[in-house]
Each structure stands twice: as C-alpha cells, then as structure tokens.
Amino acid sequence: MDQEAAELREYANEKEESSNHKSVDQSDLVDAEFFQRNSKSLVRKLDMTLMPIVWILYMFNYLDRNNISQAKLNRFEKDLGLVGSQFNTAVSILNVGYMIMQLPSNMILTRVRPSLYMPFWVCTWSCVSAATAAAQNYTHLIVIRFLLGIAEAPFFPGVFYLLSCWYTRKELALRTAILYSGLILATAFSGLIAAGIFARLDGAHGLSGWRWLFLIEGAASFFFGAVAVFILPNFPESTSGSVKWLLTPEERMVAIERIRRDRVSVEDNNRSVWYGLRLAVVDYRTWIFVIMLIANHTAYGFNYFYPSIVKGFNLGSTTVTLVLTSPPYLLAACSCFAFGYSSDRFGERGFHISVPMSVAAIGFIISASTLNIPVRYFASFLYICGCFSANAMVFSWASATLSQTPEKRAAATAIINLLSQLGNIWSPYFFRPQDATRYLLAMLLMMAFAVLSVACCVVLKWSLRRANKKLLEEHEGSEERPTLFML
C-alpha cells in the first residue's frame, strides 16, 4: 500500500504542477481544511455511486435466495413433489454452499479488483437462480440451491469489506444499515412482486407462476450485475475501476489517509494474507462476534417461513397473505435506518444491538403465549424490526474492532459471516410441519437465541472497555491520543 500511495502522491503532484504549479504532498494531509474539504467531497461521491449500486445488488441477492418462500404459496411443492421436511432442507442447503465459498472468496478479494470480481458473481448467481425455473424434482432443486449458495457467498462479506476500506468507523454503521435495508426491503417487496406475478403470469405459456418468479428476478439481477462493472470502485490505493473517473488525486490521497488514521492504535505492518487469517483466528473477540451473529441469524429463522405464518392467520387469499407480509418489513427498514444513524451519531454499538434484540425476544414471547391473531401479527412487527435493526450493527462493530490489518479485517469478516450461516442452516428445522401454523417450538428457540445475542453484547462491551483502558495507560504521558475501540 505504501508504494502505491507514494506513486499516487507523485501523480497528484505532477498534475497540480502542470496546472497551477501548486504541489500536493504529504504536508497537505496535515492541513485540516484541505483534509475536511476533500473528505466531504469523497464521501458524497461514494454515497452517490458506491452505495446505490451495492444496495440494489444486495436487494437482488436476497430476492434471488428468498423467493422460494413466496414460491411455496404457489404450486412449488406440488410441482416438484416435495414432502415432509424436504422444503426445509432446500432452504437450509443454500447456506452450506454459502459457508464453503465465503472465506476463500474474501481472502481472494484483497488481491483482485472488486469492480470485476463482485459483478462476476452477481451475474453467476443470477443465472443459477433463474435455473430454478427449470427444476423438475427435489434433486434438481437441492443441486441448484447448493450452487446458488456458492455463487451468492462472495457478495455480502466482500461488499462489506469494500465499504470498510472507504468509510471510517463513524460512517460505517449508517452505511451498513442502508445496505442492510436492501435485504429488508427485498423481503418486504418480494411478497408484492410475487403477488403480481402469480396473479398475472400463473399458467402463461404453460409455466407456473413460481417459475416466472425465478426467471424475472434472475434476469433483473443479471442486468444490474453487468452495470456494476462500470460503477464499483476498487480499493483506495488503486486507480482502476470507477476511481479513475470519479475521484481526484487529492480525494484518493485523503481516502488512504482517512482509513490509516481510523485504525485502532495496535496496527501491525505484516500484510500477509495468511498472517491476517491467523490474527483473526487467535483473537477471541472474533469468536464472540461469531456467537453473536449465529444467535442473530438463528433468531430471524422466521424469515423464510413468514409468508406461511401469515397464511396461518387465515386473513384471506394468497394475494392478501403476500401483501400482509410487507408492512412489518417496511417498518423494519425505517427502524434499521434509525438505529444505524443513532449508532454513528453517538459512536456506540453494543446497546444498538442488545436493545433491538431484547425487543425481538419480547415479540417471540408474545407470539408464543397467545392465540389471538391481531396480537400475533403485532408481535411479528416486534421481532422483525428487532432482529433486522440489530443485525447490520454487528458487521460494522466487528469491522471496526478487528481492523489491525486489512487482511485481518477481511478474514475476520468472512469468518464471522461464514460461521453465522450455521444459524441459517439449523433454524429452518425449527419450523416443523406438524407445528404449523403457530410454530410454538420455533418461537421459543428464537427467543432463546435473541437472549444469547444480548449476552454476547454485554461480554464484548466489558472486554473492549478493558482494552481501551489499557490503550490509554500505554499512551499516558504521550502527546499522541490513541484511537480506541468503539463500544
């Protein structure tokens, strides 16, 4: 990075000298006005290009994996001859492929161009998802879902790592919440999209509505994957990707310096990928984050089964059921934005995870303790808003905490997201067919995992508070103020 940064500064100097003979060098980065001006313009440009395209892609990432839950309300199970827990296995198997691919992908990402690497996988998963429309039996479905997991695995941890390379810790929670809202809104609108497709295209050209659902959503995500090649940047040290037409040399210099200043004051200069992986593995905080996110993912195991839960309320036709799945997720998107903004505003993470998860636990308790349909529908607002508001904060907290080197951050992010898929693998089996439509066992288990997530937050805040105290003691008497861990 140092060599590339030096080359970038030299390029900036040459450009300035040729225009007005005013050089741009390292001393400019000490100038507060210069730094702030270019930092603001940099963030504004990223917010107008990087954030919109990754938001759209993440929305399709989740649409393409979650449309199986809407297909279940069409003739999906009947057409493929699914019986017993075979649907649950089809939901779960995607996460096995997801786990296999995630860590190697993030280790590769630090050595390739994200502007080419990420769109490649977007287009790949789009084709695999669309292939679901050609499935004729359970075996076909299992193979396609497994391959879909492999193809989708590089995207979220890769995009999150890319964001953490451009945004500081104080900016990251809100951006992560914005990114995560793509998932929430995908779930909110997936019911509306499916309702329209089932109503208009079911039986058209001899294809069931659920087949049209996979084809249409797969084609749309492929289109945006191709567009992303021209919009995604690479890393701040690079001059390729959208950086070459989007940012000035001064903004690129500031981008590198912003992240350098933002790292917690225990930086390690060893840039080996394997050394970064070792740092991530031996840091016990990585494993606290792993347990926390496993608990979170298990707690929102309802996601693939929410249309079936609402169908059990017997409030109307399939179209009405799909429409009623949207309001809780729309509110959850607003809640996610609010918690993300508040977390960045106050520079706090732990309470912004534990409070929403406590609300989710209350929602599960209410849902398990009553048969009243309006109350159970209200309870679903609590657990949906709670789980989705908290989840985005975990990634931003982990990235800020485990940032000793970029390689460690990439490896730790992948490990955390990879192992968290265990929650997505076992939670579908909480929803046993014989428990429909109340799913009492599932509600109790999800409540327990929500409480586990809260407990992890308490332990981690205590650990980081001790680490901050130690950092302050080490820098006592020094003019340099250390960068502390975010609590």
Side-chain angles (χ1 to χ4, degrees), residues 91-394:
V91 170
S92 179
I93 195 67
L94 177 142
N95 298 288
V96 177
Y98 202 91
M99 291 181 69
I100 290 172
M101 186 61 187
Q102 203 163 99
L103 181 57
S105 173
N106 249 36
M107 293 179 70
I108 293 170
L109 183 64
T110 62
R111 295 295 187 264
V112 297
R113 294 184 180 184
S115 62
L116 299 177
Y117 186 73
M118 305 308 296
F120 167 78
W121 285 110
V122 174
C123 294
T124 300
W125 95 53
S126 302
C127 294
V128 174
S129 179
T132 310
Q136 299 298 323
N137 54 48
Y138 174 65
T139 302
H140 292 172
L141 178 63
I142 290 298
V143 172
I144 291 171
R145 293 287 294 178
F146 176 75
L147 294 176
L148 181 62
I150 291 176
E152 289 200 344
F155 184 75
F156 181 75
V159 163
F160 185 79
Y161 174 70
L162 183 62
L163 293 181
S164 70
C165 291
W166 287 98
Y167 290 105
T168 64
R169 293 182 299 159
K170 290 185 177 180
E171 298 163 346
L172 198 56
L174 178 59
R175 272 73 184 185
T176 307
I178 292 171
L179 175 64
Y180 208 70
S181 72
L183 179 157
I184 303 171
L185 291 177
T187 310
F189 292 122
S190 62
L192 301 178
I193 294 170
I197 291 175
F198 293 167
R200 297 277 184 173
L201 293 176
D202 193 19
H205 300 283
L207 296 179
S208 299
W210 67 266
R211 296 187 190 274
W212 282 112
L213 180 67
F214 285 100
L215 286 171
I216 291 171
E217 291 182 353
S221 59
F222 187 94
F223 170 78
F224 283 104
V227 171
V229 174
F230 305 100
I231 301 177
L232 282 177
N234 292 314
F235 300 116
E237 316 89 71
S238 172
T239 57
S240 58
S242 63
V243 167
K244 62 187 177 185
W245 59 263
L246 181 65
L247 303 180
T248 65
E250 296 85 351
E251 288 167 343
R252 295 200 294 272
M253 289 168 58
V254 168
I256 296 169
E257 181 66 12
R258 274 163 36 97
I259 301 304
R260 188 195 68 79
R261 294 182 185 182
D262 193 56
R263 290 190 188 128
V264 176
S265 301
V266 288
E267 184 175 349
D268 194 310
N269 292 322
N270 190 322
R271 294 298 304 276
S272 162
V273 170
W274 294 107
Y275 183 69
L277 176 60
R278 188 175 74 82
L279 287 176
V281 170
V282 300
D283 191 334
Y284 71 92
R285 298 186 188 97
T286 300
W287 303 105
I288 298 177
F289 280 116
V290 166
I291 296 171
M292 186 189 304
L293 200 56
I294 286 175
N296 281 26
H297 281 201
T298 305
Y300 74 67
F302 59 81
N303 207 37
Y304 284 105
F305 296 87
Y306 190 62
S308 299
I309 293 172
V310 176
K311 184 179 181 180
F313 295 159
N314 296 317
L315 298 175
S317 65
T318 297
T319 300
V320 171
T321 296
L322 289 169
V323 169
L324 287 174
T325 62
S326 295
Y329 288 97
L330 293 174
L331 183 61
C334 297
S335 176
C336 188
F337 281 129
F339 274 91
Y341 175 80
S342 174
S343 182
D344 276 351
R345 175 72 176 80
F346 294 103
E348 201 282 335
R349 295 290 188 264
F351 291 133
H352 287 80
I353 297 171
S354 57
V355 170
M357 291 307 294
S358 298
V359 172
I362 293 171
F364 293 131
I365 292 170
I366 293 173
S367 186
S369 61
T370 182
L371 294 175
N372 185 286
I373 288 175
V375 173
R376 288 171 63 197
Y377 188 53
F378 165 75
S380 73
F381 279 78
L382 297 181
Y383 59 71
I384 289 174
C385 290
C387 287
F388 284 107
S389 296
N391 222 40
M393 299 301 104
V394 178

Side-chain angles (χ1 to χ4, degrees), residues 28 31 48 60 79 119 130 147 213 249 270 325 339 347 429 447 482:
D28 288 320
D31 186 331
M48 294 174 64
F60 278 106
D79 288 353
L147 294 176
L213 180 67
N270 190 322
T325 62
F339 274 91
Y429 294 100
M447 178 272 294

Side-chain angles (χ1 to χ4, degrees), residues 23-67:
S23 67
V24 180
D25 56 28
Q26 185 67 33
S27 62
D28 288 320
L29 296 176
V30 182
D31 186 331
E33 182 182 353
F34 172 89
F35 190 85
Q36 284 296 110
R37 182 177 67 253
N38 283 282
S39 183
K40 286 181 179 179
S41 63
L42 167 69
V43 172
R44 183 173 61 252
K45 289 179 179 179
L46 292 173
D47 286 345
M48 294 174 64
T49 54
L50 173 59
M51 286 306 304
I53 190 63
V54 297
W55 185 89
I56 291 171
L57 294 178
Y58 192 43
M59 182 179 71
F60 278 106
N61 179 272
Y62 214 76
L63 275 176
D64 287 342
R65 84 171 70 166
N66 200 47
N67 45 21

